[in-house]
């Protein structure tokens, strides 16, 4: 069977299956999916559909700053949603900003998923003192709010790194910080499922014929515990985007010259009292829509993959 | 003697009774400022807010009235004995808050401490000046050269109690760049009209009036609370909601709103502070730049190019909302004999800027770091981001690092001088050009023949202590020396005009503007606004 027929086959199975059916039955989910896809496409295609690249200071003109949205008095088509205090077009900045937010979100979820799934598998399969150690570390970490852990890691990185290299590595520090604050959810779920799977016949059979422990964990157990992981990953994506926004809002996230949605909201907050509402409102709406849509998708996925609710 | 005690007791009782009735209606001043008070050591940081706030607890030999005119402080009078010898007669019967007497020993001790290694206020008294105790209430200041304005900056040279500082092992000041604390970092003991009650750095500081204050009481406060609120919008909200009854600065974009509220208004005045960009002109290679092996900022053409790249009118209109005055001088023209338009500012001209950069050998520009405070001056971070965008258009790619002043000052000031370009503001403590020429333009050397800002002796630099860029022009230094000891005011004014011309021509700094003062004051609170942005609680009356 070549790869194309395999993909065709699995696509066919997907659209024919329960999951797709439950998707088509839920209007909320369809709307959420459409919003997510639009926002993701828009941020992916940002260089083609934006007015200018707001991350490049040569494009900015201070005299354009505080332009109101196009429908308001003094609005201009060059700045459909208005401009901020540096003369950045808000529409373009939101596109580029959500690109950054989504990138940090996806990357940190991938990171925490890799870490959490591996540790969960090891803890669940090996058991004993390894399990106890990993899960106690997880317990300790979960007793702190995630945002505090992220702040701590961020602060440490700032202290250790020399000043001028901040900007380049800040995005990766954020990914690390947010990822490290979320791995526990993955590890706990995977550990539980692994402990169930470990005693099933197929695993015992594999053990009897002398398959290595690593191979059993990766090829036999992991595929069977990934369902809940997908659900957690989707919800974690929303949490990660929010964490990034919170950190940037607090001023410890991405540098102000490359604003993410959180940074934009922080900048706009200074002008809340002065009538320039558009600087904070539009990024705020975008962030809320994105997080809500991803959360709704996660909710639906959890229900769809839950055999008890079918 | 007994009778006298009895009378004093009666008077004190009466005073207490009066203050008790007044206490029924608490007159609390609660004010918020943008930045924090990092240390209570009076010689740790030469910065207006820090020194201005301390000026309510500590006192200097002189005091500046709300209109900036000098009046007697801890000294009752002073006279010139010979051109190089000033005699100060001290006020008798003044007590520090801990009950110790104020006398000549404290002045001599403070004169030594303010010039000790680590002090940020070394320039208050020149290194060659000796403070000599004549008797308990008379001190002579003897210097090598005549100094007609020896006391002009002493309003912020706060006098410390010798016994108290010695007892607590704080004979030397806390270093501005260092992290070591001493007893004075968190404790205060002055002679001023207010006593510090508690201090939680970055959270809240509370004060009460000094019942034994020697001077006339011109306020009716029962307590003072200071809260640092960094966020502009939060500070305005605190004022409008009544959480504080005085807040400053009010961000330019919110002044309309505060004025339209019915419980507060904005007090606007011209400020004497000049905002400027400084440039590293002494290192052979910049710390934060793509140019290796040489320092482009040593080249006057590059400095001029930066000047021409900045559209100061756009900054004035959009960032400062017209509440600033573009300037070519490093001092507000009103403090000098020079008229405002005498030295025109280098015009905004990107084409010229590019050609100057090309002539200097950087046709494609270069990368450079810019250090900026984000809680010190009006819209400081916004000015830096705007400047960064403008510079990028002529090819100078700016890496901006905007930080709270608690991190910014130790990084940029001596001895660390860890920057390539920085944004700073300056109000001359003496309110005349001599201070600017001496502090911002004099060659920063500990001794003759040494390298500029020689690494090991940075803490010993006196003249030029805030010439962070290491700009050095021997002709200007000679002129400055003459100005500092010239007693003929007309001659002095001529020399100041000439000296300022040299600084403009050399493009030693990229001057930006003088910012306007904006204080938010609740209804019923009466304050006196000082041009140097010092908030003096002595004159606060609450209805």
């Amino acid at each position: 069977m070549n790869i194309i027929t395999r993909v065709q086959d699995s696509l066919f199975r997907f659209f024919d299956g329960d999951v797709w059916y439950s998707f088509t039955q839920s209007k909320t989910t369809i709307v959420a999916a459409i919003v997510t896809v639009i926002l993701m496409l828009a941020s992916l295609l940002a260089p083609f559909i934006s007015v200018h690249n707001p991350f490049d200071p040569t494009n900015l003109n201070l005299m354009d700053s505080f332009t109101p949205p196009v429908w308001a008095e003094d609005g201009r088509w060059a700045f459909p949603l208005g401009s901020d205090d540096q003369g950045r077009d808000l529409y373009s900045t939101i596109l580029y900003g959500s690109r950054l937010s989504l990138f940090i979100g996806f990357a940190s979820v991938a990171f925490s998923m890799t870490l959490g799934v591996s540790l969960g598998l090891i803890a669940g399969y090996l058991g004993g003192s390894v399990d106890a150690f990993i899960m106690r570390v997880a317990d300790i970490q979960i007793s702190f709010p995630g945002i505090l852990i992220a702040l701590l890691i961020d602060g440490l990185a700032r202290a250790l790194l020399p000043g001028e290299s901040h900007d380049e590595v800040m995005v990766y520090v954020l990914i690390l910080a947010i990822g490290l604050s979320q791995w526990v959810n993955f590890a706990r779920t995977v550990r539980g499922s692994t402990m169930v799977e470990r005693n099933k016949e197929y695993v015992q059979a594999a053990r009897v014929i002398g398959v290595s422990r690593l191979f059993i964990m990766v090829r036999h157990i992991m595929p069977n515990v990934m369902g809940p992981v997908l659900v957690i990953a989707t919800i974690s994506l929303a949490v990660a985007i929010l964490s990034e926004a919170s950190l940037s809002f607090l001023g410890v996230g991405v540098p102000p010259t490359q604003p993410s949605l959180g940074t934009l909201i922080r900048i706009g907050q200074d002008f809340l009292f002065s009538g320039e509402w558009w600087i904070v409102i539009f990024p705020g709406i975008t962030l809320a829509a994105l997080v809500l849509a991803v959360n709704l998708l996660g909710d639906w996925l959890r229900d769809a993959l839950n055999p008890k609710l079918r | 003697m007994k009778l006298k005690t009895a009378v004093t007791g009666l008077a004190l009782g009466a005073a207490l009774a009066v203050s008790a009735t007044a206490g029924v209606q608490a007159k609390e001043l609660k004010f918020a400022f943008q930045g924090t008070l990092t240390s209570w050591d009076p010689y740790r940081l030469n910065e207006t807010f820090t020194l201005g706030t301390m000026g309510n607890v500590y006192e200097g030999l002189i005091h500046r009235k709300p209109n900036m005119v000098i009046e007697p402080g801890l000294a009752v009078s002073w006279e010139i004995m010979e051109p190089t010898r000033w005699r100060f007669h001290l006020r008798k019967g003044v007590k520090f808050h801990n009950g110790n007497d104020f006398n000549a020993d404290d002045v001599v001790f403070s004169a030594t401490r303010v010039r000790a290694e680590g002090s940020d206020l070394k320039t208050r008294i020149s290194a060659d000046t000796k403070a000599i105790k004549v008797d308990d209430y008379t001190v002579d200041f003897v210097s090598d050269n005549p100094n007609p304005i020896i006391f002009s900056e002493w309003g912020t040279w706060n006098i410390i109690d010798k016994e108290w500082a010695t007892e607590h092992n704080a004979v030397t000041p806390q270093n501005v760049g260092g992290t070591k604390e001493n007893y004075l970092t968190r404790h205060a003991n002055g002679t001023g009209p207010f006593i510090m009650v508690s201090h939680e750095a970055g959270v809240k500081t509370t004060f009460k009036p000094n019942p034994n204050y020697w001077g006339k009481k011109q306020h009716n406060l029962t307590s003072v609370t200071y809260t640092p609120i960094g966020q502009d919008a939060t500070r305005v909200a605190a004022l409008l909601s009544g959480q504080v009854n005085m807040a400053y600065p009010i961000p330019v974009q919110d002044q309309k709103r505060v004025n339209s509220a019915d419980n507060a208004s904005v007090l606007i005045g011209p400020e004497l502070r000049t905002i400027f960009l400084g440039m590293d002109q002494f290192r052979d290679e910049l710390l934060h730049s793509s140019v290796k092996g040489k320092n482009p900022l040593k080249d006057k053409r590059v400095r001029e190019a930066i000047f021409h790249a900045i559209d100061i009118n756009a900054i004035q209109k959009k960032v400062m909302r017209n509440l600033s005055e573009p300037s070519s001088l490093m001092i507000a023209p009103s403090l000098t004999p020079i008229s405002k338009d005498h030295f025109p500012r280098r015009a905004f001209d990107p084409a010229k800027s590019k050609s100057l950069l090309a002539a200097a050998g950087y046709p494609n520009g270069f990368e450079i770091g810019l250090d900026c405070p984000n809680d010190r001056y009006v819209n400081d971070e916004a000015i830096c981001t705007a400047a960064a965008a403008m510079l990028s258009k002529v090819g100078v790619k700016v890496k901006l690092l905007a930080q709270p002043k608690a991190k910014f000052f130790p990084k940029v000031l001596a001895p660390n001088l860890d920057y390539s370009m920085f944004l700073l503001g300056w109000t001359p403590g003496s309110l005349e050009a001599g201070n600017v020429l001496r502090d911002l333009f004099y060659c920063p050397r500990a001794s003759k023949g040494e390298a500029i800002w020689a690494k090991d002796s940075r803490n010993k630099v006196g003249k030029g202590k805030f010439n962070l860029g290491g700009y050095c022009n021997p002709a200007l230094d000679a002129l400055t020396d003459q100005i500092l000891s010239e007693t003929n005011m007309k001659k002095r004014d001529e020399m100041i005009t000439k000296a300022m011309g040299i600084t403009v021509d050399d493009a030693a700094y990229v001057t930006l503007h003088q910012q306007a003062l904006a204080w938010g004051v609740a209804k019923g609170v009466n304050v006196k606004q000082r041009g140097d942005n010092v908030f003096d609680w002595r004159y606060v009356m609450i209805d």
Side-chain angles (χ1 to χ4, degrees):
Chain A
M1 209 196 284
N2 68 25
I3 197 103
I4 294 167
T5 44
R6 259 167 83 171
V7 169
Q8 274 175 347
D9 193 43
S10 54
L11 272 179
F12 178 75
R13 265 193 308 187
F14 174 72
F15 284 114
D16 195 36
D18 298 339
V19 175
W20 178 251
Y21 177 75
S22 85
F23 179 78
T24 53
Q25 289 314 101
S26 161
K27 284 201 184 93
T28 337
T29 313
I30 295 176
V31 174
I34 292 172
V35 171
T36 316
V37 168
I38 288 178
L39 284 173
M40 284 185 184
L41 274 182
S43 62
L44 266 182
L45 299 176
F48 306 105
I49 57 175
S50 64
V51 178
H52 63 217
N53 177 0
F55 288 4
D56 182 359
T58 40
N59 288 333
L60 309 181
N61 189 347
L62 191 61
M63 291 314 272
D64 294 333
S65 59
F66 302 118
T67 309
V70 69
W71 57 86
E73 209 183 322
D74 297 333
R76 281 187 281 156
W77 272 108
F79 304 97
L81 297 181
S83 69
D84 73 354
D85 62 330
Q86 296 294 329
R88 284 186 289 240
D89 168 43
L90 265 183
Y91 162 68
S92 315
T93 318
I94 289 173
L95 291 183
Y96 276 85
S98 30
R99 199 181 207 199
L100 198 60
S101 296
L102 279 168
F103 171 69
I104 293 176
F106 274 113
S108 58
V109 166
F111 174 63
S112 60
M113 190 161 86
T114 318
L115 190 69
V117 169
S118 339
L119 287 175
L121 274 174
I122 293 171
Y125 189 76
L126 297 183
S129 53
V130 178
D131 176 35
F133 177 74
I134 293 176
M135 290 334 281
R136 287 308 79 72
V137 172
D139 286 345
I140 292 170
Q141 188 176 326
I142 213 156
S143 60
F144 294 101
I147 191 89
L148 276 189
I149 306 265
L151 265 177
L152 180 79
I153 296 165
D154 188 277
L156 276 178
R158 263 165 207 274
L160 295 177
L161 295 168
E164 59 266 38
S165 58
H166 271 164
D167 288 9
E168 289 104 51
V169 298
M170 220 45 234
V171 170
Y172 303 101
V173 171
L174 273 178
I175 293 172
L176 187 80
I178 298 171
L180 279 180
S181 66
Q182 285 192 347
W183 68 272
V184 176
N185 297 333
F186 291 97
R188 285 192 155 185
T189 317
V190 170
R191 169 179 175 266
S193 320
T194 307
M195 287 171 88
V196 174
E197 298 294 320
R198 186 175 62 178
N199 298 322
K200 290 201 173 150
E201 283 89 356
Y202 72 95
V203 176
Q204 282 174 352
R207 224 188 271 165
V208 166
I209 58 169
V211 179
S212 78
R213 289 199 287 199
L214 184 68
F215 195 83
I216 294 179
M217 277 192 260
V218 176
R219 290 303 296 271
H220 293 278
I221 299 182
M222 203 166 80
N224 289 307
V225 300
M226 284 312 270
V229 168
L230 269 183
V231 177
I232 300 179
T234 318
I235 292 171
S236 292
L237 176 64
V239 177
I241 292 171
L242 266 187
S243 304
E244 185 277 326
S246 316
L247 288 174
S248 297
F249 181 79
L250 294 172
V252 295
V254 291
T257 44
Q258 296 184 11
S260 70
L261 290 175
T263 323
L264 275 177
I265 295 173
R266 174 170 68 94
I267 295 170
Q269 197 217 4
D270 279 346
F271 303 102
L272 260 183
F273 279 154
S274 32
E276 280 112 10
W277 50 272
W278 55 90
I279 305 176
V280 73
I281 295 288
F282 293 122
I285 291 177
T286 316
L287 181 67
L290 181 62
V291 172
L292 183 66
V294 173
N295 257 327
L296 286 173
L297 279 183
D299 271 359
W300 159 74
L301 200 59
R302 187 187 57 208
D303 295 348
L305 292 179
N306 187 343
K308 285 180 194 142
L309 286 177
R310 272 182 209 170
Chain B
M1 196 64 207
K2 253 197 178 138
L3 186 75
K4 204 174 167 189
T5 325
V7 170
T8 324
L10 262 177
L12 207 72
L16 274 177
V18 169
S19 66
T21 30
V24 174
Q25 235 190 339
K27 306 281 189 189
E28 292 169 17
L29 170 67
K30 292 174 283 186
F31 77 97
F33 180 70
Q34 180 182 37
T36 58
L37 201 56
T38 37
S39 169
W40 270 94
D41 190 320
Y43 308 149
R44 190 198 164 199
L45 187 61
N46 190 10
E47 183 239 357
T48 305
F49 173 70
T50 307
L51 294 174
T53 307
M54 279 179 187
N56 293 295
V57 174
Y58 286 95
E59 283 177 301
L61 293 181
I62 63 148
H63 181 248
R64 293 224 183 230
K65 289 197 235 181
N67 60 1
M68 307 298 297
V69 170
I70 293 174
E71 63 178 355
L74 286 177
V76 244
S77 62
W78 44 87
E79 58 198 314
I80 300 183
M81 309 295 285
E82 336 161 359
T84 56
R85 177 187 287 264
W86 278 89
R87 173 157 293 178
F88 279 77
H89 301 284
L90 307 181
R91 200 174 287 280
K92 288 176 188 162
V94 175
K95 282 192 187 304
F96 285 96
H97 296 157
N98 65 353
N100 286 357
D101 282 316
F102 159 74
N103 56 35
D105 288 332
D106 299 321
V107 176
V108 174
F109 170 76
S110 299
T112 313
R113 194 176 188 272
V114 79
R115 287 175 291 177
E117 190 159 334
S119 163
D120 202 36
L121 275 71
K122 279 201 184 106
T123 53
R124 290 296 180 279
I125 314 176
S126 66
D128 60 282
T129 305
K130 284 181 262 317
I132 300 159
K133 176 181 170 180
V134 179
D135 62 49
D136 266 0
Y137 292 98
T138 315
V139 180
D140 277 3
F141 290 89
V142 184
S143 44
D144 295 345
N145 299 310
N147 184 350
I149 52 161
I150 190 165
F151 53 83
S152 61
E153 286 178 52
W154 288 3
T156 48
W157 169 40
N158 292 314
I159 303 298
I160 298 174
D161 181 17
K162 182 186 177 186
E163 290 81 21
W164 177 70
T166 318
E167 181 190 331
H168 293 292
N169 243 335
V171 179
T172 49
Q174 184 192 2
N175 190 337
V176 65
T179 46
K180 259 198 312 194
E181 286 194 4
N182 64 29
Y183 187 76
L184 268 57
T185 310
R186 287 163 194 273
H187 300 84
N189 175 35
T191 55
F194 292 89
I195 299 175
M196 187 181 91
V197 179
S198 68
H199 173 61
E200 290 170 76
V203 184
K204 198 167 97 172
T205 312
T206 53
F207 308 84
K208 62 174 184 193
N210 175 4
N212 303 317
Y213 186 55
W214 57 265
K216 202 178 120 212
K217 189 177 160 191
Q218 299 181 63
H219 64 86
N220 65 350
L221 303 176
T222 53
S223 73
V224 179
T225 311
Y226 149 62
T227 324
I229 305 182
Q231 258 293 327
D232 282 343
T234 319
R235 196 175 334 111
V236 173
L239 175 70
L240 295 182
S241 68
Q243 194 192 333
V244 298
N245 50 20
M246 191 278 182
Y248 74 113
I250 297 298
V252 282
Q253 64 269 18
D254 292 341
Q255 294 177 356
K256 232 169 44 193
R257 170 165 164 107
V258 173
N259 276 329
S260 65
D262 51 11
N263 62 343
S265 57
V266 183
L267 206 60
I268 290 180
E271 197 183 347
L272 307 169
R273 184 180 305 281
T274 307
I275 305 293
F276 58 90
L277 297 177
M279 295 163 283
D280 181 343
Q281 296 156 54
F282 70 96
R283 287 194 177 89
D284 291 325
E285 183 181 300
L286 289 176
L287 291 181
H288 312 283
S289 169
S290 60
V291 182
K292 296 294 166 205
K294 56 181 173 173
N295 178 348
L297 297 176
K298 279 191 176 183
D299 191 328
K300 182 181 156 189
R301 287 169 297 188
V302 175
R303 302 201 296 272
E304 286 188 296
I306 294 176
F307 230 122
H308 285 298
I310 288 178
D311 184 356
I312 194 71
N313 293 327
I315 293 183
Q316 182 192 24
K317 183 153 179 260
K318 288 295 186 171
V319 180
M320 303 301 289
R321 307 207 187 198
N322 290 326
L323 286 171
S324 70
E325 190 60 51
S327 174
S328 62
L329 295 182
M330 288 290 283
I331 181 167
S334 60
L335 300 178
T336 65
I338 307 163
S339 74
K340 210 180 90 189
D341 306 315
H342 190 79
F343 296 111
R345 206 177 171 283
R346 284 181 177 81
F348 169 53
D349 188 349
K352 189 166 182 197
S353 174
K354 269 187 196 156
S355 67
L356 278 165
L357 280 174
Y362 307 97
N364 300 317
F366 51 87
E367 246 179 60
I368 194 163
L370 170 64
D371 276 277
C372 211
N374 61 12
D375 62 353
R376 183 61 195 89
Y377 312 112
V378 177
N379 286 343
D380 38 14
E381 187 178 350
I383 296 171
C384 284
T385 1
M390 289 164 182
L391 285 171
S392 76
K393 290 193 177 161
V394 298
V396 178
K397 207 171 155 243
V398 172
K399 281 201 271 179
L400 176 61
L401 181 62
Q403 309 191 87
K405 67 175 184 176
K407 289 187 90 174
F408 166 81
F409 280 127
K411 180 171 189 272
V412 167
L413 296 184
N416 292 332
L417 301 173
D418 177 11
Y419 71 88
S420 287
M421 278 175 67
F422 60 88
L423 176 125
L424 206 69
W426 189 263
T427 311
S430 62
L431 300 179
E432 51 76 56
N435 163 293
V436 173
L437 289 169
R438 186 198 63 202
D439 283 5
L440 298 179
F441 290 104
Y442 210 91
C443 264
R445 291 190 170 111
S447 57
K448 271 208 175 96
E450 221 177 44
I452 301 169
W453 285 123
K455 208 146 195 148
D456 303 323
S457 50
R458 281 183 189 168
N459 272 332
K460 297 193 188 88
V461 169
K463 281 180 180 173
K465 184 163 172 38
F466 295 92
N467 182 358
L468 309 176
Y471 161 80
C472 195
N473 182 340
L476 182 68
D477 284 2
L479 197 56
T480 303
D481 282 333
Q482 282 179 40
I483 290 171
L484 290 176
S485 56
E486 179 58 65
T487 43
N488 178 335
M489 284 302 154
K490 191 161 170 279
K491 257 179 150 174
R492 194 167 189 271
D493 283 356
E494 277 166 17
M495 286 195 285
I496 285 175
T497 310
K498 194 174 155 205
M500 282 297 167
I502 298 176
T503 69
V504 171
D505 189 53
D506 280 348
Y509 293 91
V510 176
T511 54
L512 297 175
H513 54 241
Q514 273 95 35
Q515 66 186 31
L517 285 180
W519 293 9
V521 187
K523 279 249 153 65
V525 177
N526 301 297
V527 303
K528 293 249 162 77
Q529 191 173 37
R530 245 170 73 170
D532 57 355
N533 207 14
V534 163
F535 183 24
D536 198 338
W537 318 330
R538 278 173 186 79
Y539 310 104
V540 179
M541 295 292 275
I542 297 183
D543 299 340

